[in-house]
Amino acid sequence: QVQLVESGGGLVQPGGSLRLSCAASGSIFSIYTMGWYRQVSGKQRELVATITSGGSTNYADSVKGRFTISRDNAENTMYLQMNSLKPEDTAVYYCNAAIMRSPSSAIFRYWGQGTQVSVSS
């Protein structure tokens, strides 16, 4: 069994900052690309940022220069530092990870349960 647990969401004023965390646990042999996605009710889930096991990053244009994705491979944890937050950043943020559970298993993508981020004055 593999679990991804997000934390760090909340309510913040425009211009403020939040730091999201995603901790992976369970039967894990190796974690490959990890990412953050977000979804507003009634809309499709969208990519926010991804990071490979080697540290290469990719960002949606809407968050470039404001958000920073990082990971601690030793702790199986990923982070999203969100600065200069805008009301349009309001969404449920989901953690995603491509995980191999054993040397002989395939790689599967897992999702966390999501954490709400609300940006409002």
Side-chain angles (χ1 to χ4, degrees), residues 64-95:
K64 279 181 182 176
R66 301 187 298 120
F67 291 11
T68 301
I69 189 171
S70 62
R71 63 191 284 176
D72 183 335
N73 291 331
E75 297 293 329
N76 288 342
T77 302
M78 174 180 63
Y79 305 96
L80 185 68
Q81 178 65 43
M82 304 186 293
N83 299 328
S84 302
L85 282 160
K86 305 174 181 180
E88 50 264 43
D89 294 318
T90 296
V92 177
Y93 284 70
Y94 294 92
C95 166

mmCIF file of all heavy atoms in Angstrom, residues 64-95:
data_model
loop_
_atom_site.group_PDB
_atom_site.id
_atom_site.type_symbol
_atom_site.label_atom_id
_atom_site.label_comp_id
_atom_site.label_asym_id
_atom_site.label_seq_id
_atom_site.Cartn_x
_atom_site.Cartn_y
_atom_site.Cartn_z
ATOM 1 N N LYS A 64 4.903 30.518 -12.690
ATOM 2 C CA LYS A 64 6.349 30.734 -12.829
ATOM 3 C C LYS A 64 6.768 32.022 -12.133
ATOM 4 O O LYS A 64 6.118 33.063 -12.272
ATOM 5 C CB LYS A 64 6.719 30.815 -14.319
ATOM 6 C CG LYS A 64 6.852 29.470 -14.991
ATOM 7 C CD LYS A 64 7.242 29.628 -16.454
ATOM 8 C CE LYS A 64 7.315 28.276 -17.138
ATOM 9 N NZ LYS A 64 7.595 28.409 -18.601
ATOM 10 N N GLY A 65 7.860 31.929 -11.395
ATOM 11 C CA GLY A 65 8.367 33.086 -10.678
ATOM 12 C C GLY A 65 7.728 33.302 -9.318
ATOM 13 O O GLY A 65 8.201 34.125 -8.528
ATOM 14 N N ARG A 66 6.636 32.598 -9.033
ATOM 15 C CA ARG A 66 5.952 32.734 -7.745
ATOM 16 C C ARG A 66 6.005 31.454 -6.912
ATOM 17 O O ARG A 66 6.078 31.525 -5.680
ATOM 18 C CB ARG A 66 4.485 33.129 -7.960
ATOM 19 C CG ARG A 66 4.290 34.421 -8.711
ATOM 20 C CD ARG A 66 2.824 34.845 -8.736
ATOM 21 N NE ARG A 66 1.963 33.879 -9.426
ATOM 22 C CZ ARG A 66 0.945 33.250 -8.845
ATOM 23 N NH1 ARG A 66 0.630 33.489 -7.591
ATOM 24 N NH2 ARG A 66 0.209 32.400 -9.540
ATOM 25 N N PHE A 67 5.939 30.308 -7.563
ATOM 26 C CA PHE A 67 5.932 29.023 -6.873
ATOM 27 C C PHE A 67 7.270 28.323 -7.089
ATOM 28 O O PHE A 67 7.875 28.433 -8.163
ATOM 29 C CB PHE A 67 4.822 28.112 -7.419
ATOM 30 C CG PHE A 67 3.420 28.548 -7.086
ATOM 31 C CD1 PHE A 67 3.146 29.798 -6.527
ATOM 32 C CD2 PHE A 67 2.352 27.708 -7.359
ATOM 33 C CE1 PHE A 67 1.853 30.193 -6.232
ATOM 34 C CE2 PHE A 67 1.054 28.076 -7.071
ATOM 35 C CZ PHE A 67 0.804 29.321 -6.515
ATOM 36 N N THR A 68 7.686 27.551 -6.088
ATOM 37 C CA THR A 68 8.905 26.756 -6.190
ATOM 38 C C THR A 68 8.624 25.348 -5.690
ATOM 39 O O THR A 68 8.183 25.169 -4.552
ATOM 40 C CB THR A 68 10.044 27.370 -5.362
ATOM 41 O OG1 THR A 68 10.305 28.706 -5.811
ATOM 42 C CG2 THR A 68 11.318 26.540 -5.521
ATOM 43 N N ILE A 69 8.886 24.370 -6.547
ATOM 44 C CA ILE A 69 8.717 22.966 -6.180
ATOM 45 C C ILE A 69 10.067 22.404 -5.767
ATOM 46 O O ILE A 69 11.110 22.757 -6.352
ATOM 47 C CB ILE A 69 8.102 22.153 -7.340
ATOM 48 C CG1 ILE A 69 7.718 20.756 -6.886
ATOM 49 C CG2 ILE A 69 9.041 22.110 -8.539
ATOM 50 C CD1 ILE A 69 6.900 19.973 -7.930
ATOM 51 N N SER A 70 10.080 21.551 -4.757
ATOM 52 C CA SER A 70 11.311 20.912 -4.307
ATOM 53 C C SER A 70 10.966 19.558 -3.709
ATOM 54 O O SER A 70 9.791 19.250 -3.480
ATOM 55 C CB SER A 70 12.048 21.781 -3.284
ATOM 56 O OG SER A 70 11.246 21.981 -2.131
ATOM 57 N N ARG A 71 11.983 18.736 -3.455
ATOM 58 C CA ARG A 71 11.745 17.425 -2.871
ATOM 59 C C ARG A 71 12.944 17.006 -2.050
ATOM 60 O O ARG A 71 14.072 17.426 -2.304
ATOM 61 C CB ARG A 71 11.419 16.381 -3.933
ATOM 62 C CG ARG A 71 12.533 16.118 -4.927
ATOM 63 C CD ARG A 71 12.049 15.266 -6.100
ATOM 64 N NE ARG A 71 11.907 13.858 -5.756
ATOM 65 C CZ ARG A 71 11.422 12.931 -6.588
ATOM 66 N NH1 ARG A 71 10.998 13.295 -7.789
ATOM 67 N NH2 ARG A 71 11.332 11.671 -6.225
ATOM 68 N N ASP A 72 12.660 16.142 -1.083
ATOM 69 C CA ASP A 72 13.682 15.529 -0.247
ATOM 70 C C ASP A 72 13.593 14.034 -0.511
ATOM 71 O O ASP A 72 12.702 13.363 0.017
ATOM 72 C CB ASP A 72 13.426 15.859 1.221
ATOM 73 C CG ASP A 72 14.503 15.304 2.137
ATOM 74 O OD1 ASP A 72 15.169 14.319 1.771
ATOM 75 O OD2 ASP A 72 14.656 15.852 3.244
ATOM 76 N N ASN A 73 14.474 13.518 -1.343
ATOM 77 C CA ASN A 73 14.391 12.111 -1.731
ATOM 78 C C ASN A 73 14.607 11.175 -0.540
ATOM 79 O O ASN A 73 14.029 10.089 -0.495
ATOM 80 C CB ASN A 73 15.400 11.810 -2.831
ATOM 81 C CG ASN A 73 15.040 12.475 -4.144
ATOM 82 O OD1 ASN A 73 13.872 12.719 -4.448
ATOM 83 N ND2 ASN A 73 16.053 12.789 -4.947
ATOM 84 N N ALA A 74 15.418 11.580 0.402
ATOM 85 C CA ALA A 74 15.683 10.728 1.565
ATOM 86 C C ALA A 74 14.435 10.574 2.437
ATOM 87 O O ALA A 74 14.251 9.551 3.093
ATOM 88 C CB ALA A 74 16.819 11.304 2.387
ATOM 89 N N GLU A 75 13.585 11.613 2.423
ATOM 90 C CA GLU A 75 12.372 11.595 3.250
ATOM 91 C C GLU A 75 11.120 11.286 2.444
ATOM 92 O O GLU A 75 10.016 11.277 2.994
ATOM 93 C CB GLU A 75 12.207 12.956 3.948
ATOM 94 C CG GLU A 75 13.333 13.292 4.911
ATOM 95 C CD GLU A 75 13.359 12.365 6.110
ATOM 96 O OE1 GLU A 75 12.273 11.884 6.527
ATOM 97 O OE2 GLU A 75 14.460 12.105 6.642
ATOM 98 N N ASN A 76 11.264 11.034 1.150
ATOM 99 C CA ASN A 76 10.107 10.772 0.274
ATOM 100 C C ASN A 76 9.067 11.883 0.398
ATOM 101 O O ASN A 76 7.849 11.623 0.486
ATOM 102 C CB ASN A 76 9.468 9.417 0.589
ATOM 103 C CG ASN A 76 10.329 8.257 0.135
ATOM 104 O OD1 ASN A 76 11.219 8.423 -0.696
ATOM 105 N ND2 ASN A 76 10.059 7.088 0.682
ATOM 106 N N THR A 77 9.528 13.103 0.409
ATOM 107 C CA THR A 77 8.650 14.259 0.621
ATOM 108 C C THR A 77 8.877 15.305 -0.461
ATOM 109 O O THR A 77 10.008 15.517 -0.901
ATOM 110 C CB THR A 77 8.897 14.880 2.002
ATOM 111 O OG1 THR A 77 8.679 13.886 3.004
ATOM 112 C CG2 THR A 77 7.956 16.041 2.261
ATOM 113 N N MET A 78 7.788 15.936 -0.854
ATOM 114 C CA MET A 78 7.836 17.000 -1.858
ATOM 115 C C MET A 78 7.204 18.245 -1.269
ATOM 116 O O MET A 78 6.311 18.151 -0.415
ATOM 117 C CB MET A 78 7.064 16.561 -3.117
ATOM 118 C CG MET A 78 6.917 17.617 -4.178
ATOM 119 S SD MET A 78 6.004 17.020 -5.627
ATOM 120 C CE MET A 78 4.404 16.643 -4.915
ATOM 121 N N TYR A 79 7.641 19.403 -1.738
ATOM 122 C CA TYR A 79 7.134 20.663 -1.218
ATOM 123 C C TYR A 79 6.720 21.587 -2.357
ATOM 124 O O TYR A 79 7.196 21.461 -3.486
ATOM 125 C CB TYR A 79 8.212 21.367 -0.391
ATOM 126 C CG TYR A 79 8.775 20.525 0.718
ATOM 127 C CD1 TYR A 79 9.946 19.804 0.542
ATOM 128 C CD2 TYR A 79 8.114 20.431 1.944
ATOM 129 C CE1 TYR A 79 10.456 19.018 1.549
ATOM 130 C CE2 TYR A 79 8.617 19.647 2.963
ATOM 131 C CZ TYR A 79 9.794 18.939 2.761
ATOM 132 O OH TYR A 79 10.287 18.163 3.766
ATOM 133 N N LEU A 80 5.852 22.521 -2.039
ATOM 134 C CA LEU A 80 5.506 23.587 -2.966
ATOM 135 C C LEU A 80 5.464 24.891 -2.174
ATOM 136 O O LEU A 80 4.558 25.093 -1.358
ATOM 137 C CB LEU A 80 4.164 23.343 -3.645
ATOM 138 C CG LEU A 80 3.804 24.368 -4.735
ATOM 139 C CD1 LEU A 80 4.741 24.221 -5.942
ATOM 140 C CD2 LEU A 80 2.352 24.201 -5.182
ATOM 141 N N GLN A 81 6.466 25.734 -2.390
ATOM 142 C CA GLN A 81 6.482 27.052 -1.771
ATOM 143 C C GLN A 81 5.727 28.005 -2.684
ATOM 144 O O GLN A 81 6.101 28.181 -3.845
ATOM 145 C CB GLN A 81 7.917 27.542 -1.572
ATOM 146 C CG GLN A 81 8.032 28.931 -0.976
ATOM 147 C CD GLN A 81 7.508 29.004 0.441
ATOM 148 O OE1 GLN A 81 7.771 28.122 1.250
ATOM 149 N NE2 GLN A 81 6.750 30.051 0.745
ATOM 150 N N MET A 82 4.662 28.591 -2.158
ATOM 151 C CA MET A 82 3.806 29.476 -2.954
ATOM 152 C C MET A 82 3.892 30.882 -2.395
ATOM 153 O O MET A 82 3.499 31.128 -1.252
ATOM 154 C CB MET A 82 2.363 28.969 -2.913
ATOM 155 C CG MET A 82 2.209 27.531 -3.380
ATOM 156 S SD MET A 82 0.489 27.005 -3.490
ATOM 157 C CE MET A 82 0.031 27.035 -1.781
ATOM 158 N N ASN A 83 4.428 31.786 -3.186
ATOM 159 C CA ASN A 83 4.557 33.192 -2.802
ATOM 160 C C ASN A 83 3.694 34.068 -3.705
ATOM 161 O O ASN A 83 3.254 33.623 -4.768
ATOM 162 C CB ASN A 83 6.013 33.634 -2.899
ATOM 163 C CG ASN A 83 6.941 32.858 -1.980
ATOM 164 O OD1 ASN A 83 6.536 32.426 -0.896
ATOM 165 N ND2 ASN A 83 8.165 32.669 -2.413
ATOM 166 N N SER A 84 3.485 35.289 -3.259
ATOM 167 C CA SER A 84 2.694 36.256 -4.043
ATOM 168 C C SER A 84 1.386 35.646 -4.521
ATOM 169 O O SER A 84 1.015 35.753 -5.700
ATOM 170 C CB SER A 84 3.509 36.754 -5.253
ATOM 171 O OG SER A 84 4.726 37.341 -4.824
ATOM 172 N N LEU A 85 0.689 35.016 -3.610
ATOM 173 C CA LEU A 85 -0.538 34.306 -3.968
ATOM 174 C C LEU A 85 -1.623 35.257 -4.442
ATOM 175 O O LEU A 85 -1.738 36.397 -3.950
ATOM 176 C CB LEU A 85 -1.032 33.485 -2.774
ATOM 177 C CG LEU A 85 -0.268 32.178 -2.563
ATOM 178 C CD1 LEU A 85 -0.447 31.652 -1.150
ATOM 179 C CD2 LEU A 85 -0.706 31.145 -3.587
ATOM 180 N N LYS A 86 -2.398 34.777 -5.400
ATOM 181 C CA LYS A 86 -3.486 35.543 -6.009
ATOM 182 C C LYS A 86 -4.811 34.817 -5.780
ATOM 183 O O LYS A 86 -4.824 33.598 -5.606
ATOM 184 C CB LYS A 86 -3.246 35.691 -7.513
ATOM 185 C CG LYS A 86 -1.914 36.298 -7.893
ATOM 186 C CD LYS A 86 -1.733 36.267 -9.399
ATOM 187 C CE LYS A 86 -0.398 36.854 -9.815
ATOM 188 N NZ LYS A 86 -0.214 36.818 -11.293
ATOM 189 N N PRO A 87 -5.915 35.528 -5.816
ATOM 190 C CA PRO A 87 -7.220 34.857 -5.654
ATOM 191 C C PRO A 87 -7.422 33.726 -6.658
ATOM 192 O O PRO A 87 -8.057 32.718 -6.326
ATOM 193 C CB PRO A 87 -8.219 35.999 -5.874
ATOM 194 C CG PRO A 87 -7.487 37.222 -5.427
ATOM 195 C CD PRO A 87 -6.060 36.994 -5.847
ATOM 196 N N GLU A 88 -6.865 33.876 -7.852
ATOM 197 C CA GLU A 88 -7.024 32.818 -8.863
ATOM 198 C C GLU A 88 -6.203 31.569 -8.561
ATOM 199 O O GLU A 88 -6.337 30.568 -9.280
ATOM 200 C CB GLU A 88 -6.678 33.334 -10.268
ATOM 201 C CG GLU A 88 -5.357 34.062 -10.371
ATOM 202 C CD GLU A 88 -5.497 35.570 -10.267
ATOM 203 O OE1 GLU A 88 -6.271 36.054 -9.398
ATOM 204 O OE2 GLU A 88 -4.820 36.275 -11.037
ATOM 205 N N ASP A 89 -5.387 31.598 -7.538
ATOM 206 C CA ASP A 89 -4.674 30.399 -7.091
ATOM 207 C C ASP A 89 -5.554 29.533 -6.181
ATOM 208 O O ASP A 89 -5.161 28.423 -5.809
ATOM 209 C CB ASP A 89 -3.404 30.775 -6.328
ATOM 210 C CG ASP A 89 -2.369 31.461 -7.209
ATOM 211 O OD1 ASP A 89 -2.185 31.017 -8.352
ATOM 212 O OD2 ASP A 89 -1.756 32.439 -6.743
ATOM 213 N N THR A 90 -6.716 30.034 -5.824
ATOM 214 C CA THR A 90 -7.625 29.275 -4.969
ATOM 215 C C THR A 90 -8.062 27.984 -5.652
ATOM 216 O O THR A 90 -8.531 28.003 -6.790
ATOM 217 C CB THR A 90 -8.866 30.119 -4.628
ATOM 218 O OG1 THR A 90 -8.468 31.248 -3.857
ATOM 219 C CG2 THR A 90 -9.877 29.304 -3.834
ATOM 220 N N ALA A 91 -7.844 26.869 -4.982
ATOM 221 C CA ALA A 91 -8.161 25.548 -5.549
ATOM 222 C C ALA A 91 -7.849 24.483 -4.515
ATOM 223 O O ALA A 91 -7.245 24.765 -3.477
ATOM 224 C CB ALA A 91 -7.337 25.294 -6.811
ATOM 225 N N VAL A 92 -8.220 23.253 -4.830
ATOM 226 C CA VAL A 92 -7.734 22.104 -4.080
ATOM 227 C C VAL A 92 -6.448 21.644 -4.769
ATOM 228 O O VAL A 92 -6.432 21.425 -5.985
ATOM 229 C CB VAL A 92 -8.754 20.958 -4.043
ATOM 230 C CG1 VAL A 92 -8.173 19.757 -3.305
ATOM 231 C CG2 VAL A 92 -10.043 21.413 -3.381
ATOM 232 N N TYR A 93 -5.390 21.531 -3.999
ATOM 233 C CA TYR A 93 -4.088 21.139 -4.528
ATOM 234 C C TYR A 93 -3.840 19.669 -4.230
ATOM 235 O O TYR A 93 -3.975 19.223 -3.088
ATOM 236 C CB TYR A 93 -2.993 22.007 -3.922
ATOM 237 C CG TYR A 93 -2.948 23.394 -4.537
ATOM 238 C CD1 TYR A 93 -3.965 24.310 -4.291
ATOM 239 C CD2 TYR A 93 -1.905 23.777 -5.378
ATOM 240 C CE1 TYR A 93 -3.948 25.570 -4.867
ATOM 241 C CE2 TYR A 93 -1.876 25.034 -5.957
ATOM 242 C CZ TYR A 93 -2.902 25.923 -5.704
ATOM 243 O OH TYR A 93 -2.877 27.171 -6.286
ATOM 244 N N TYR A 94 -3.461 18.945 -5.286
ATOM 245 C CA TYR A 94 -3.231 17.509 -5.180
ATOM 246 C C TYR A 94 -1.771 17.173 -5.460
ATOM 247 O O TYR A 94 -1.156 17.725 -6.377
ATOM 248 C CB TYR A 94 -4.089 16.752 -6.186
ATOM 249 C CG TYR A 94 -5.572 16.845 -5.930
ATOM 250 C CD1 TYR A 94 -6.340 17.849 -6.527
ATOM 251 C CD2 TYR A 94 -6.216 15.922 -5.115
ATOM 252 C CE1 TYR A 94 -7.698 17.945 -6.304
ATOM 253 C CE2 TYR A 94 -7.580 16.007 -4.885
ATOM 254 C CZ TYR A 94 -8.308 17.012 -5.484
ATOM 255 O OH TYR A 94 -9.666 17.106 -5.261
ATOM 256 N N CYS A 95 -1.282 16.223 -4.701
ATOM 257 C CA CYS A 95 0.059 15.682 -4.888
ATOM 258 C C CYS A 95 -0.036 14.437 -5.767
ATOM 259 O O CYS A 95 -0.969 13.643 -5.631
ATOM 260 C CB CYS A 95 0.606 15.332 -3.496
ATOM 261 S SG CYS A 95 2.049 14.304 -3.455
#
